[in-house]
């Protein structure tokens, strides 16, 4: 039973990790909390729903949905954040409020276009379940874990192994110097928004197909917990977000084991506050004054 | 090679650069000296595209108008800068810092040549290749900043205060290296507060005062100009 | 380029605002058919004022389906009455419906809107559920506006006063049937899954109290009580708890949408457990959402759409014809009946004044889907209940499953 809750925790934790990496990506590059991320995830899941229903092939549909969601994310940056960055006098609060505003705009558009009710979504990963000792692995749980790990590995490669990733890390460390070194910061920022959008869509798709449900508020609770996980791990640090997500997921399920389902939602935030009291920059966060 | 005509730059309402004209010829070391706030760095940042220029300003490089190009386009055309305060990437390794200098280049073989060249100039960087740049000493960070600028294989290298905050023997060494880089065919524009050192290695110099060019002549003439001596060379 | 973008942005914002107001606040629902009926009538009987009924319900949010079904039930009743020539010698019925989003805050403001609208003479459908219903009830009572809930089951609801009626099972009434369910389906180890809400907590307490009293006589024990909070999507920790306790039957104390999620996740791990749902799970949307995972689920409802009762058949046929073959649920049927009994009260009083309806409804009765409907001294309707099992996506009646409570208790010893 305890072991089972750990397995459940890892599986939900990897979903949190996937979402919280999206927060970290944007925070890393722009030092901003992308509070619109949860809605971008929801829109992504709904794109998957509509495109799969359009019946031009399952995988093509998902790929189109990924690209579209990436574009929504880029649109957000190009149409709202980029003009703000140019204006003198706009600070982090302006940007934060803009993101929260866009979050509600997207949420509302979702309600108008797709309606507020819960809609069924097909589970593409159902191959039965596997029992090892007293622990039951559900096939879709396994697929979700595997997919999340693959995506996280791919993101790690992009950021630490590719040229554009080097550009992203440079922009994160010192935007001005990156600019002077010949890094096209606009391209880097746009790219970051694009892949964070794609990650959001993948997370949305995995969640929708695991729970076989889609609805406009699906991102709300998830976004909150994933954001807590990102801050917990040290926002802006990729592996920190992954570990933060796992910690939140596992402790949440363990808490249910010890204290029952009522405390579950509070767990993420209790851990978050405790950790921040001890390590204000998060578990793997670097304090801001490492710059020379 | 580089022609700057009627350069005017504003910070909000502050008119920082007033009608500056300057020229750099192929193969030269040109220095810009002046006191704090004279507009040296602003001039440099205007040239490399970070700051927006007022209407009427014109910057030409190798015959092409680069006034309104973005920094990365300007780097691609062969101007690179080692900025004031070094501006290295403290959390990245030394070799990643250098790799970023070559960000606009695609030919892998040529890039690895550039690595060799930088490591030959600064053997200390080779030793610390894998180390985070933030852990380097001040002098090493300055080497890294210059090395990074060289990685783009520039035709014109802009150096902003390379001697700032360094011990005298390190300053000497850096200036020796600048001369050496110039000897390898890179034209250099050197911004310095340390005017006596700068005028020693430069062919020509511009002296800025409150955003205007006060004097402009060969380095030799400037070194012997009384007014310059009094104001910038410690009155000797 | 920048201008074009900001234009698009402005448009997007404007659109979402418009969307907000149209789904968020108010719509006066008058169907096309009804408008034509009104005009035809008007030519005969010179501009008689319509009789306006009020409706509060969640048209957006998690329980939107119930709000929509209640409104649909009202529309079917209104059309039927208008087609027969209206009330009081030709006055047509109309409904003003507002979205309370299933929240107490919105519910209170919707109640105020209906109260301050002098045209509204009675409210045949107050907010969905007890939580919001209990917010609205004192407001309606104070204003002297008769309001009927078609879904509240909390004992305090109808006790608010003589304006507040319940056309639904009371909680105590529903518990008597819920408690029979595990016994009927032969449960040994029962798991209770309950939402932490006013309803969930009080229903669980009621169920446990019955078990305390009859536990040694029934064939099942409560092996596990597992709680979740509203908005939960991941039931894995609850399921682990239930499986660990060795439950062979699960009874679920919350709405169909949560139940569907739960069933989908539970079936992946244990395909054999029996599921029992409450009346709020009796809706075709449970099958739409839950698919194969809700096959074999047992549940119960006040409404049996396949009943041979002619009133039920008339209602179900009219409902399906109007809403593209959709099946009505108990909320729709109750709302339909509520309009009917208010109409009877209006005819009986010979007036559509709020005060007149308040007096008349105490003694009014009408033949409708629930049989001969009237309210008792507490303001509660007497309802009968039928048990169903989901087979091939259909709700199939399990005949003779339920006993009257006294008979059930007697059968135990």
């Amino acid at each position: 039973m305890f072991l089972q809750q750990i397995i459940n925790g890892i599986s939900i934790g990897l979903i949190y990790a996937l979402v919280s990496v999206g927060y970290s990506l944007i925070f890393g590059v722009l030092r901003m909390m992308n509070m619109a991320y949860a809605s971008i995830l929801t829109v992504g899941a709904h794109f998957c729903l509509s495109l799969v229903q359009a019946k031009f092939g399952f995988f093509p549909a998902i790929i189109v949905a990924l690209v579209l969601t990436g574009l929504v994310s880029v649109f957000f940056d190009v149409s709202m954040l980029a003009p703000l960055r140019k204006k003198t006098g706009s600070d982090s609060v302006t940007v934060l409020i803009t993101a929260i505003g866009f979050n509600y705009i997207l949420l509302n558009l979702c309600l108008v276009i797709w309606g507020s009710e819960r809609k069924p979504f097909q589970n593409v990963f159902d191959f039965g379940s596997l029992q090892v000792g007293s622990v039951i692995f559900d096939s879709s749980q396994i697929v979700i874990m595997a997919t999340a790990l693959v995506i996280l590995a791919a993101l790690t490669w992009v950021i630490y192994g590719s040229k554009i990733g080097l550009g992203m890390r440079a922009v994160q460390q010192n935007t001005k110097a990156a600019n002077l070194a010949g890094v096209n910061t606009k391209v880097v920022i746009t790219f970051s928004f694009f892949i964070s959008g794609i990650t959001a869509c993948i997370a949305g798709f995995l969640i929708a197909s695991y729970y076989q449900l889609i609805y406009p508020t699906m991102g709300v609770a998830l976004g909150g917990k994933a954001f807590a996980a990102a801050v917990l791990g040290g926002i802006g640090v990729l592996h920190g977000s992954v570990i933060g997500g796992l910690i939140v997921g596992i402790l949440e399920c363990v808490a249910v084991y010890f204290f029952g389902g009522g405390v579950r939602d509070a767990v993420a935030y209790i851990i978050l506050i405790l950790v921040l009291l001890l390590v204000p920059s998060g578990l793997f966060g670097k304090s801001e004054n490492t710059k020379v | 090679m580089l022609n700057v005509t009627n350069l005017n730059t504003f910070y909000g309402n502050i008119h920082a650069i007033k009608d500056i004209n300057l020229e750099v010829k192929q193969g030269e070391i040109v220095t810009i000296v002046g006191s704090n706030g004279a507009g040296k760095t602003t001039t440099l940042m205007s040239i490399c595209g970070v700051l927006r220029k007022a209407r009427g300003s014109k910057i030409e490089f190798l015959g092409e108008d680069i006034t309104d190009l973005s920094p990365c386009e300007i780097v691609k055309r062969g101007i690179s800068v080692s900025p004031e305060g070094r501006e290295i990437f403290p959390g990245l390794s030394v070799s990643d810092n250098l790799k970023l200098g070559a960000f606009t280049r695609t030919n892998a073989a040529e890039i690895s040549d550039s690595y060799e060249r930088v490591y030959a100039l600064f053997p200390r960087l080779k030793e610390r290749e894998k180390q985070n740049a933030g852990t380097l000493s001040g002098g090493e960070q300055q080497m890294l900043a210059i090395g990074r600028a060289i990685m783009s294989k520039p035709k014109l290298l802009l150096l902003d205060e390379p001697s700032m905050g360094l011990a005298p023997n390190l300053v000497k060494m850096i200036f020796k290296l600048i001369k050496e880089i110039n000897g390898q065919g890179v034209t250099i524009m050197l911004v310095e507060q340390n005017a006596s050192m700068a005028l020693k290695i430069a062919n020509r110099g511009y002296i800025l005062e409150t955003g205007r060019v006060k004097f402009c002549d060969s380095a030799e003439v400037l070194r012997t100009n009384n007014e310059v001596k009094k104001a910038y060379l410690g009155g000797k | 380029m920048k201008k074009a973008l900001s234009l698009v942005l402005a448009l997007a914002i404007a659109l979402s605002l418009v969307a907000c107001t149209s789904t968020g606040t108010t719509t006066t629902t008058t169907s096309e058919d009804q408008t034509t009926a009104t005009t035809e009538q008007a030519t005969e009987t010179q501009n008689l004022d319509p009789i306006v009924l009020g409706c509060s319900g969640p048209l957006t949010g998690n329980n939107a389906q119930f709000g929509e079904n209640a409104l649909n039930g009202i529309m079917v009743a209104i059309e039927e009455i208008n087609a027969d020539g209206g009330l009081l010698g030709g006055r047509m019925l109309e409904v003003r419906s507002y979205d309370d989003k299933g929240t107490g805050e919105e519910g209170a403001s919707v109640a105020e809107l209906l109260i301050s609208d002098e045209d509204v003479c009675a409210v045949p459908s107050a907010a969905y559920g007890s939580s919001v219903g209990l917010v609205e009830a004192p407001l309606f009572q104070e204003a002297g506006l008769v309001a009927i809930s078609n879904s509240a089951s909390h004992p305090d609801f109808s006790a608010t006063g003589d304006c507040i009626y319940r056309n639904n099972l009371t909680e105590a009434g529903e518990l008597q049937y819920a408690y029979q369910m595990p016994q009927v389906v032969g449960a040994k180890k029962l798991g209770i899954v309950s939402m932490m809400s006013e309803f969930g907590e009080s229903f669980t307490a009621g169920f446990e109290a019955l078990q305390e009293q009859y536990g040694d006589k029934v064939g099942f024990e409560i092996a596990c009580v597992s709680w979740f909070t509203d908005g939960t999507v991941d039931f894995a920790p609850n399921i682990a708890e239930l499986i660990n306790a060795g439950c062979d039957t699960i009874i679920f104390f919350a709405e169909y949408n949560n139940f569907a999620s739960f069933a989908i996740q539970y079936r992946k791990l244990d395909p054999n457990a029996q599921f029992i749902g409450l009346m709020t799970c009796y809706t075709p949307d449970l099958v739409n959402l839950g698919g194969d995972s809700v096959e074999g689920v047992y549940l119960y409802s006040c409404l049996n759409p396949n009943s041979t009762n002619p009133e039920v058949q008339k209602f179900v046929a009219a409902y399906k014809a109007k809403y593209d073959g959709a099946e009505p649920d108990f909320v729709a049927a109750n709302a339909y009946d509520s309009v009917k009994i208010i109409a009877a009260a209006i005819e009986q009083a010979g007036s559509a004044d709020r005060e007149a309806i308040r007096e008349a409804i105490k003694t009014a009765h009408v033949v409708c889907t629930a049989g001969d409907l009237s309210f008792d001294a507490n303001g509660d309707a007497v309802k009968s209940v039928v048990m169903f099992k989901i087979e091939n996506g259909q709700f199939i009646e399990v005949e003779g499953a339920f006993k009257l409570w006294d008979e059930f208790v007697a059968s135990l010893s």
Side-chain angles (χ1 to χ4, degrees), chain C residues 16-321:
Chain C
S16 65
L17 282 179
V18 171
C20 252
T21 36
S22 69
T23 56
T25 40
T26 148
T27 33
T28 300
T29 317
T30 358
S31 81
E32 271 174 47
D33 310 321
Q34 190 198 341
T35 334
T36 44
T38 317
T39 30
E40 274 166 26
Q41 204 67 33
T43 48
E44 291 165 30
T45 54
Q46 310 278 312
N47 293 335
L48 287 173
D49 285 338
I51 296 172
V52 180
L53 303 175
C55 175
S56 162
L59 298 176
T60 53
N62 268 346
N63 290 323
Q65 201 56 51
F66 294 111
E68 200 179 304
N69 288 353
L71 188 56
N72 291 350
I74 290 176
M75 294 310 299
V76 171
I78 285 180
E79 277 181 26
E80 187 186 311
I81 292 168
N82 287 349
D84 288 347
L87 298 175
L88 303 179
R91 289 176 67 182
M92 294 291 117
L93 286 182
E94 254 179 36
V95 64
R96 275 181 206 154
S97 162
Y98 297 91
D99 181 7
D100 62 32
K101 297 179 182 156
T103 67
E105 296 84 345
E106 292 286 329
S109 63
V110 167
E112 293 296 352
L113 268 173
L114 291 172
I115 289 164
S116 61
D117 183 344
E118 284 171 9
D119 296 341
V120 174
C121 65
V123 180
S125 181
Y128 172 77
S130 297
S131 302
V132 188
L134 283 168
V135 174
E136 291 187 352
L139 302 171
F140 287 131
Q141 176 64 34
E142 198 179 323
L145 181 59
V146 166
I148 305 175
S149 171
N150 302 300
S151 51
S153 62
H154 198 285
D156 293 348
F157 180 79
S158 52
T160 307
D162 68 340
C163 285
I164 306 303
Y165 291 89
R166 176 204 326 271
N167 183 14
N168 189 29
L169 281 173
T170 59
E171 193 175 295
E174 184 165 1
L175 269 168
Q176 294 180 349
Y177 293 100
Y179 191 72
Q180 291 186 43
M181 295 284 280
Q183 184 76 357
V184 174
V185 304
K188 296 279 176 288
K189 287 189 150 188
L190 181 69
I192 295 178
V193 181
S194 181
M195 181 156 88
M196 293 196 125
S197 65
E198 196 150 2
F199 170 80
E201 283 169 40
S202 114
F203 207 78
T204 306
F207 198 95
E208 283 176 321
L210 289 176
Q211 181 69 2
E212 190 115 321
Q213 206 173 344
Y214 304 105
D216 48 347
K217 293 178 196 153
V218 290
F220 62 91
E221 56 163 314
I222 298 177
C224 175
V225 180
S226 187
W227 296 92
F228 68 95
T229 48
D230 197 9
T232 295
V233 270
D234 181 64
F235 286 97
N238 302 85
I239 293 168
E241 237 179 343
L242 294 160
I243 290 183
N244 187 55
C247 300
D248 55 55
T249 306
I250 311 291
I251 190 164
F252 195 88
F253 296 164
E255 274 79 12
Y256 75 95
N257 40 24
N258 287 308
F259 187 35
S261 301
F262 172 83
I264 288 168
Q265 292 168 44
Y266 200 100
R267 278 284 177 251
K268 286 181 191 161
L269 300 176
D270 176 5
N272 300 320
Q274 301 188 92
F275 289 148
I276 301 171
L278 303 189
M279 197 151 63
T280 44
C281 292
Y282 181 93
T283 160
D285 286 296
L286 176 70
V287 179
N288 291 342
L289 274 181
D292 289 345
S293 300
V294 296
E295 262 311 285
V297 166
Y298 292 96
L299 29 69
Y300 56 89
S301 174
C302 303
L303 173 77
N304 176 9
N306 303 315
S307 151
T308 50
N309 178 336
E311 285 295 325
V312 175
Q313 285 184 350
K314 184 170 79 181
F315 166 66
V316 173
Y319 192 95
K320 281 187 170 173

Side-chain angles (χ1 to χ4, degrees), chain B residues 44-149:
Chain B
L44 219 60
M45 290 297 122
S46 303
I47 293 171
C48 62
V50 172
L51 295 175
R52 211 192 281 169
K53 278 71 69 180
R55 212 173 285 170
S57 311
K58 189 167 186 191
I59 302 172
E60 275 180 314
F61 181 64
L62 297 172
E64 186 188 358
D65 184 353
I66 59 163
T67 318
D68 295 317
L69 291 183
S70 68
C72 65
E73 287 301 318
I74 291 174
V75 173
K76 272 186 202 161
R77 280 164 181 69
I79 302 181
S80 78
V81 57
S82 156
E84 183 189 17
R86 297 148 203 163
E87 303 276 357
I88 55 156
F89 304 104
L92 302 186
S93 68
V94 168
S95 68
D96 274 351
N97 267 272
L98 293 177
K99 201 191 270 179
L100 275 159
F103 202 79
T104 51
R105 299 170 64 190
T106 47
N107 186 324
E110 280 180 35
I111 293 174
S112 89
D113 277 353
S114 294
Y115 267 112
E116 303 282 312
R117 200 175 144 203
V118 170
Y119 287 146
L121 276 170
F122 308 105
R124 289 299 288 276
L125 295 183
K126 174 80 180 163
E127 288 163 30
R128 310 197 168 219
E129 204 178 7
K130 297 273 172 283
Q131 225 167 297
N132 266 5
T135 64
L136 299 183
S137 72
E140 289 164 342
Q141 292 193 1
Q142 187 58 58
M143 293 175 199
L144 182 58
I146 297 173
R148 185 179 64 194

Side-chain angles (χ1 to χ4, degrees), chain B:
Chain B
M1 186 178 212
L2 180 76
N3 272 306
V4 176
T5 33
N6 291 332
L7 177 65
N8 281 282
T9 304
F10 291 82
Y11 283 115
N13 290 326
I14 301 163
H15 194 171
I17 298 291
K18 297 159 194 155
D19 291 322
I20 284 187
N21 292 290
L22 49 85
E23 193 195 359
V24 180
K25 296 196 192 89
Q26 181 86 41
E28 280 187 316
I29 297 182
V30 171
T31 184
I32 300 179
V33 292
S35 55
N36 240 340
K40 305 183 302 277
T41 298
T42 310
T43 307
L44 219 60
M45 290 297 122
S46 303
I47 293 171
C48 62
V50 172
L51 295 175
R52 211 192 281 169
K53 278 71 69 180
R55 212 173 285 170
S57 311
K58 189 167 186 191
I59 302 172
E60 275 180 314
F61 181 64
L62 297 172
E64 186 188 358
D65 184 353
I66 59 163
T67 318
D68 295 317
L69 291 183
S70 68
C72 65
E73 287 301 318
I74 291 174
V75 173
K76 272 186 202 161
R77 280 164 181 69
I79 302 181
S80 78
V81 57
S82 156
E84 183 189 17
R86 297 148 203 163
E87 303 276 357
I88 55 156
F89 304 104
L92 302 186
S93 68
V94 168
S95 68
D96 274 351
N97 267 272
L98 293 177
K99 201 191 270 179
L100 275 159
F103 202 79
T104 51
R105 299 170 64 190
T106 47
N107 186 324
E110 280 180 35
I111 293 174
S112 89
D113 277 353
S114 294
Y115 267 112
E116 303 282 312
R117 200 175 144 203
V118 170
Y119 287 146
L121 276 170
F122 308 105
R124 289 299 288 276
L125 295 183
K126 174 80 180 163
E127 288 163 30
R128 310 197 168 219
E129 204 178 7
K130 297 273 172 283
Q131 225 167 297
N132 266 5
T135 64
L136 299 183
S137 72
E140 289 164 342
Q141 292 193 1
Q142 187 58 58
M143 293 175 199
L144 182 58
I146 297 173
R148 185 179 64 194
I150 293 174
M151 285 298 289
S152 70
K153 211 180 177 192
K155 300 183 179 101
L156 172 64
L157 178 61
L158 310 179
L159 298 171
D160 198 350
E161 307 265 10
S163 71
M164 196 209 268
L166 297 185
N169 58 331
L170 273 172
V171 174
K172 255 185 206 158
M173 184 195 146
I174 295 278
F175 275 90
K176 209 181 116 222
L177 284 165
I178 293 171
K179 200 74 185 146
E180 203 176 321
I181 294 164
N182 181 242
Q184 293 172 359
V186 181
T187 310
I188 286 175
M189 186 162 150
L190 173 66
V191 163
E192 260 301 339
Q193 270 193 68
N194 189 339
S196 60
M197 284 291 275
L199 287 172
K200 247 179 235 167
I201 63 164
N203 304 100
R204 293 190 301 114
Y206 290 82
I207 296 188
L208 294 195
E209 213 176 276
T210 56
R212 286 180 201 282
V213 176
K214 187 126 192 249
F215 298 103
C216 144
D217 215 322
S218 76
E220 242 176 61
V221 173
L222 288 174
R223 271 205 308 266
T224 52
N225 179 314
N226 278 334
E227 213 173 322
V228 174
K229 267 190 185 165
K230 216 159 107 194
Y232 301 102
L233 303 174
K236 275 175 242 165

Side-chain angles (χ1 to χ4, degrees), chain A residues 8 15 19 23 90-91 94 126 153 190 206-207 211 271 285:
Chain A
N8 292 338
I15 292 180
V19 182
Y23 284 108
S90 66
D91 54 10
T94 326
D126 201 357
T190 301
L206 287 179
I207 294 157
Y211 299 120
I271 316 164

